[in-house]
Amino acid sequence: MTFEGGEGSGKTTQAVRLCRSLTERGYTVLQTREPGGTLVAERLRSILLERSAEPMAPETETLIILAARRQHADQVIRPALARGVLVICDRFSDSTLAYQGYARGLDLNILKRMNAWATGGLTPHLTLHFDLPVATGLTRRRREALSQNRLDLEATRFHTKVRAGFLALAKREPRRIATIDARQSPEAIALQVETLVLKRLRSLRVNPTHHH
Ligand SMILES: Nc1ncnc2c1ncn2[C@@H]1O[C@H](COP(=O)(O)OP(=O)(O)O)[C@@H](O)[C@H]1O
Ligand SMILES: [Mg+2]
């Protein structure tokens, strides 16, 4: 399962809540995030997010993200899935399409093939897409003064393209990607997330691994 959406759309807040709720229901859950999730990938994450005087080409950005994704897929995601663990990943391949494709203008077909190559074809069973007006997301993030990373500092126009990108992706793959109105209260969103996830788990015939 992946959580996608712009900055400040509530992905992390909701991932934490969903993990708690699924764990209470007896599922074994792993919460992780991209870029990152392994020692090597977290180092690549720092390179990506730190504010630096040296400009970074979108291609460089993409290659670093994909290097981190491969490491994460090999070291964390695939082994967890093989043990029957539910993996909840905060950002994944769709973020690359939205940010480096729709927003930075790299070729979407190339990015899709690179994603497939980097992940060995790993595709989420369900993607929750948190949709929020750009200004609302940035205001939420800017309340946390310390967490202004390189991407938060991009112009509003950039974040508007990211948002349109996620909406276009969701439109193309409505079975995998569910869009959630992220303007709602955290409680209302959590309820919607839980309903969607439990329904998908039932249709995939995934049952809790232990009972309380
Ligand atoms: N539904 C919501 N309504 C208002 N504020 C929210 C909501 N969800 C999260 N927040 C707050 O907005 C900020 C960004 O949320 P976060 O979950 O970190 O977003 P993301 O991981 O998508 O960047 C946090 O300060 C969080 O407490
Ligand atoms: Mg987050």
Side-chain angles (χ1 to χ4, degrees), residues 11-12 90 141:
K11 298 179 297 297
T12 306
D90 196 331
R141 287 286 289 235

Side-chain angles (χ1 to χ4, degrees), residues 5-14 90 140-141 143-144 182-186 189:
E7 317 297 327
S9 59
K11 298 179 297 297
T12 306
T13 304
Q14 293 298 328
D90 196 331
R140 284 185 191 173
R141 287 286 289 235
R143 270 192 245 123
E144 311 162 66
R183 292 172 302 183
Q184 306 172 83
S185 71
I189 297 170

Side-chain angles (χ1 to χ4, degrees), residues 44-60:
L44 293 167
R45 179 189 179 92
S46 317
I47 297 174
L48 276 166
L49 296 182
E50 73 200 6
R51 295 150 75 171
S52 154
E54 181 177 328
M56 200 188 286
E59 290 82 354
T60 308

